[in-house]
Amino acid sequence: MIEAQGLTKIFKDKKRGEIRAADGVSFKAQPGQIYGLLGANGAGKTTTLRMLATILQPTAGTAKVAGYDVVDDPEKVRASVGFLSTATALYGRLTAKEFVEYFGRLFGMEEAALQKRIDEIFARLEMNEFRDRRCEKLSTGMKQKVSIARTLVHNPPVMIFDEPTIGLDVMTARTIVQFIRECRAQGKTVIFSTHVMSEVEKLCDTIGIIHNGKLLAEGTLPQLRERYGEQDMEEIFVKVVGE
Amino acid sequence: MKLKNIAVVYNKERTDMLRDRRTLFNMLLFPLIMFPLISTGFSRLESRFREKARKEAAQIMVLGAEQAPELAGKLRASGKFEIVPTEPDYKQRISDKKLRAAVEFSPGFEQALRGAGAQAPGVTLYYYETEMRSEMAVHSLEEIVGEYRKDVVQGRVAGHGLPAAALTPVVTKEQNVASAEKVSGVRLGAIIPYFIIIFCLVGALHPAMDLTAGEKERGTLETILASAVSRGELVMAKFLFVLTTSLTTAVISLASYSLTLKFAPSASARGVAKDFTAHFSLQSVLMVFVMVLPLAVLFAAALVAISLIARSYKEAQSYTGPIMMLAIVPAIASILPGIELNAKLALIPILNVSLVSKEILSGSLPWGSIALVFLSTSF
């Protein structure tokens, strides 16, 4: 469960003055559902998700993630969240297993439970072949699997994906999409951001359209279609943003 | 802050950094090869050149040899020179380093000498300053001319019926009361703290930058910030690891230094090694490390803090460059002769540690200063 209330982030830039990267963003994401944050580059998707993952502190407003407040209880929030973005890189000099182990330990997992969980995940994601290979030597697809394993190791109830498929080839992107569906099937709360319309149509239960830091429209795909009188997601998006 | 989390991060940083070639180079290889290279390779090279230059008969020209047949004969008989036929372009030849030096006797040299007239006869020595072999040749020339001068003077004194002692009415004698061991102890004592401090810094530098700015650059910082570890635990673990490499580097460099001295090819270096083990008990070396500890803490903290501002490893390098200079200057200052620890200097960071270590290694234990330095560096 994610509940954002007026999340605002202001960056100060010497040349451009105040930048409202996120401006009063409020929404709810339910367990067992996928919430899609749709927006162009620079719309404020990443900033919003980073505040939810407690990597950034909101300037104003707050959010409750899995029942914990992102401002008051950031460590508990992080323990309940699996965060994946293209910016979350791997430690190149650690092996795939060491990397996942490291994060499991930081989440305070017992050693026996951790090893069992790693065996489970590695088997399911077919990662045993490169289990003891250093992350820097892995292909992009393998790296993405290691990142997924990292977000899953502590079995968090909330998953946050920031443009998880950007720059990936079709097969690797499909693995990710498949994985996001599995998360929903397991009853996790899933939020993900993208600027790819087709992904939104395929995956999301609820869609939020974000532009210039503001959440302009929200609803299920049928609701948005009805409200804006368009079938195509791209047309809906243009209409919302153009307003 | 959970100790367990700090330990998990610390252990991971250790695995990570020990697989990094740059860490291994800075922490192990650099101090291990630097001392043998500098102290043996360099001194060996130098002595070889010196030996070669000494053995070689320097090529010189004697201008106006007919004016001073006796002295010219002595030059020839000394065997130190190869006298080449006189050419008019001798100055150019010396500049070109084809000729080491030239001697020129003033006209009527020997006659003026015998006449003992008002006008003293002159010898001009031509050489090239900063050219070692030219300077050595001219030095030998001066020696021979000086001997000759002495002979002439003694002959004159005897001619006047005076004893030879009349020439030296007062005899001065210098006697060194410091034992040779003490002298080398003080010298070593001055240089060792300097090495330890510099290597503390060198050892801390790479991990401090790689674990902060480097992580930002590679994007792993975002990953770790999204994990359950708190910011405080993360910084603490990184700081502790930087401190560890800093001290490890210092220990390795000290060990390398003493081993180098022990197995040094030259006898003088081996003598130093003997003093080293005779003078510096394990206790005093440990004591120096205790003094260096707060300084290493300071280095590690400062480097981690500064590197955290930087967005990339390269940016961090340009920020930490001035820190290196700031640390090296006071450390060098402690080597200066005549600089002694007092209450005021005990408050200057780095210099104070360097000076107090110098005192400890030369055998005295100034407890008051030790306490003052330790406290001032700790805060």
Side-chain angles (χ1 to χ4, degrees):
Chain A
M1 169 90 162
I2 300 173
E3 227 180 320
Q5 290 151 2
L7 275 180
T8 303
K9 183 73 192 178
I10 299 172
F11 292 110
K12 293 216 166 68
D13 187 283
K14 271 193 192 128
K15 277 180 197 149
R16 294 184 294 164
E18 255 184 24
I19 299 160
R20 290 179 169 264
D23 194 355
V25 176
S26 303
F27 62 86
K28 264 187 198 172
Q30 305 292 344
Q33 290 203 343
I34 299 176
Y35 189 97
L37 215 47
L38 184 65
N41 292 328
K45 306 183 296 279
T46 299
T47 307
T48 306
L49 296 188
R50 285 170 66 122
M51 283 191 281
L52 292 177
T54 77
I55 293 171
L56 286 178
Q57 265 203 348
T59 314
T62 188
K64 275 207 156 67
V65 176
Y68 301 108
D69 193 283
V70 292
V71 180
D72 302 331
D73 248 343
E75 274 146 47
K76 287 205 172 110
V77 170
R78 283 200 291 275
S80 321
V81 164
F83 180 73
L84 181 71
S85 88
T86 38
T88 48
L90 311 178
Y91 286 105
R93 292 185 288 261
L94 295 188
T95 66
K97 178 169 176 269
E98 282 169 342
F99 182 77
V100 179
E101 244 171 10
Y102 177 45
F103 283 89
R105 285 189 189 130
L106 286 180
F107 283 119
M109 295 176 73
E110 293 297 323
E111 207 56 29
L114 176 62
Q115 294 306 328
K116 201 171 150 243
R117 179 82 180 147
I118 287 177
D119 286 343
E120 229 175 81
I121 297 173
F122 274 55
R124 208 177 83 208
L125 294 171
E126 292 167 357
M127 293 168 63
N128 280 322
E129 175 207 341
F130 53 87
R131 189 184 174 102
D132 295 316
R133 222 186 288 168
R134 286 197 195 180
C135 290
E136 60 196 355
K137 303 263 162 70
L138 301 178
S139 72
T140 313
M142 291 171 177
K143 278 183 184 158
Q144 204 64 26
K145 282 186 178 175
V146 178
S147 281
I148 293 172
R150 191 252 311 154
T151 57
L152 279 181
V153 67
H154 56 304
N155 200 15
V158 174
M159 302 296 288
I160 300 176
F161 300 96
D162 183 19
E163 307 208 44
T165 56
I166 200 165
L168 297 180
D169 64 59
V170 181
M171 293 315 288
T172 318
R174 276 177 75 96
T175 320
I176 303 270
V177 169
Q178 183 55 37
F179 167 64
I180 293 174
R181 283 210 182 96
E182 273 173 37
C183 287
R184 169 171 59 187
Q186 286 162 12
K188 294 183 193 295
T189 309
V190 180
I191 180 165
F192 93 112
S193 74
T194 183
H195 61 258
V196 183
M197 307 294 161
S198 60
E199 272 181 9
V200 176
E201 286 173 319
K202 266 192 289 184
L203 274 172
C204 296
D205 299 302
T206 313
I207 300 161
I209 297 176
I210 191 167
H211 189 65
N212 284 337
K214 288 195 171 74
L215 196 66
L216 296 181
E218 194 183 48
T220 62
L221 189 56
Q223 280 170 348
L224 290 175
R225 277 179 178 153
E226 199 185 299
R227 203 179 308 158
Y228 293 94
E230 295 282 354
Q231 278 301 300
D232 189 42
M233 194 59 227
E234 199 172 310
E235 296 303 322
I236 296 173
F237 181 75
V238 170
K239 266 199 169 172
V240 172
V241 170
E243 272 172 10
Chain B
M1 242 185 250
K2 277 184 239 148
L3 265 177
K4 194 184 154 257
N5 275 357
I6 296 177
V8 170
V9 177
Y10 182 93
N11 286 333
K12 177 258 151 196
E13 304 297 16
R14 193 190 51 212
T15 315
D16 194 351
M17 292 308 285
L18 286 180
R19 286 177 188 171
D20 183 0
R21 247 177 275 145
R22 287 173 298 179
T23 317
L24 293 180
F25 179 80
N26 280 318
M27 198 168 83
L28 296 169
L29 214 59
F30 182 53
L32 277 181
I33 61 171
M34 211 196 80
F35 290 105
L37 220 62
I38 286 184
S39 55
T40 65
F42 208 64
S43 69
R44 199 179 236 178
L45 211 64
E46 202 202 341
S47 64
R48 181 181 286 178
F49 273 121
R50 206 176 272 281
E51 210 49 44
K52 199 179 157 200
R54 196 171 292 142
K55 273 184 194 150
E56 164 201 275
Q59 285 199 341
I60 62 161
M61 274 184 201
V62 181
L63 308 157
E66 66 285 352
Q67 307 291 341
E70 199 183 345
L71 187 48
K74 277 185 191 289
L75 289 180
R76 217 167 287 129
S78 72
K80 285 181 176 168
F81 309 104
E82 184 192 342
I83 298 172
V84 297
T86 310
E87 301 278 351
D89 62 340
Y90 57 93
K91 283 187 191 166
Q92 189 57 44
R93 282 173 186 243
I94 295 172
S95 303
D96 293 347
K97 292 164 193 176
K98 284 178 191 148
L99 190 66
R100 299 289 168 242
V103 202
E104 187 183 28
F105 298 111
S106 62
F109 182 91
E110 214 150 298
Q111 269 168 348
L113 207 59
R114 297 218 188 293
Q119 191 76 36
V123 182
T124 315
L125 303 176
Y126 297 94
Y127 72 109
Y128 197 94
E129 197 171 329
T130 71
E131 220 293 278
M132 192 180 83
R133 283 171 299 184
S134 180
E135 282 179 348
M136 281 171 73
V138 92
H139 186 74
S140 309
L141 281 171
E142 268 169 0
E143 252 174 38
I144 291 168
V145 174
E147 277 299 310
Y148 182 66
R149 189 191 296 129
K150 221 163 137 193
D151 287 349
V152 171
V153 171
Q154 264 168 6
R156 283 178 189 173
V157 167
H160 284 86
L162 288 167
L167 285 173
T168 43
V170 179
V171 181
T172 52
K173 230 178 167 183
E174 284 176 10
Q175 189 123 30
N176 178 13
V177 295
S179 66
E181 283 155 31
K182 191 82 188 169
V183 170
S184 62
V186 168
R187 276 197 202 128
L188 268 178
I191 205 134
I192 286 174
Y194 168 73
F195 278 141
I196 295 176
I197 289 171
I198 296 301
F199 276 99
C200 262
L201 197 59
V202 168
L205 199 59
H206 171 65
M209 294 192 295
D210 197 70
L211 293 181
T212 53
E215 283 219 19
K216 265 193 211 175
E217 197 175 344
R218 291 189 295 268
T220 48
L221 197 65
E222 176 136 341
T223 319
I224 193 74
L225 286 182
S227 82
V229 70
S230 82
R231 272 66 173 150
E233 289 160 358
L234 199 59
V235 170
M236 184 51 95
K238 284 178 189 289
F239 158 75
L240 285 175
F241 181 75
V242 172
L243 183 62
T244 312
T245 57
S246 169
L247 291 173
T248 310
T249 310
V251 170
I252 289 173
S253 61
L254 192 64
S256 158
Y257 182 63
S258 46
L259 283 177
T260 305
L261 287 177
K262 207 158 206 167
F263 298 108
S266 77
S268 69
R270 272 201 299 275
V272 174
K274 226 190 213 163
D275 299 338
F276 188 82
T277 38
H279 256 276
F280 306 142
S281 56
L282 193 62
Q283 192 196 348
S284 64
V285 172
L286 280 178
M287 190 73 198
V288 167
F289 270 98
V290 171
M291 296 311 297
V292 168
L293 190 68
L295 190 64
V297 168
L298 179 77
F299 282 156
L303 289 174
V304 168
I306 288 168
S307 308
L308 269 173
I309 302 169
R311 264 178 239 104
S312 68
Y313 191 85
K314 273 211 174 128
E315 199 183 331
Q317 271 178 325
S318 53
Y319 291 158
T320 49
I323 300 285
M324 285 294 277
M325 292 308 292
L326 274 181
I328 288 172
V329 169
I332 289 179
S334 72
I335 303 183
L336 294 177
I339 192 161
E340 297 249 331
L341 191 66
N342 57 36
K344 241 184 247 165
L345 289 181
L347 294 177
I348 301 177
I350 304 168
L351 180 61
N352 55 8
V353 172
S354 194
L355 285 174
V356 83
S357 307
K358 194 166 138 183
E359 299 269 323
I360 294 170
L361 288 179
S362 50
S364 49
L365 285 174
W367 287 108
S369 308
I370 289 174
L372 191 58
V373 170
F374 194 86
L375 289 175
S376 85
T377 315
S378 303
F379 291 110

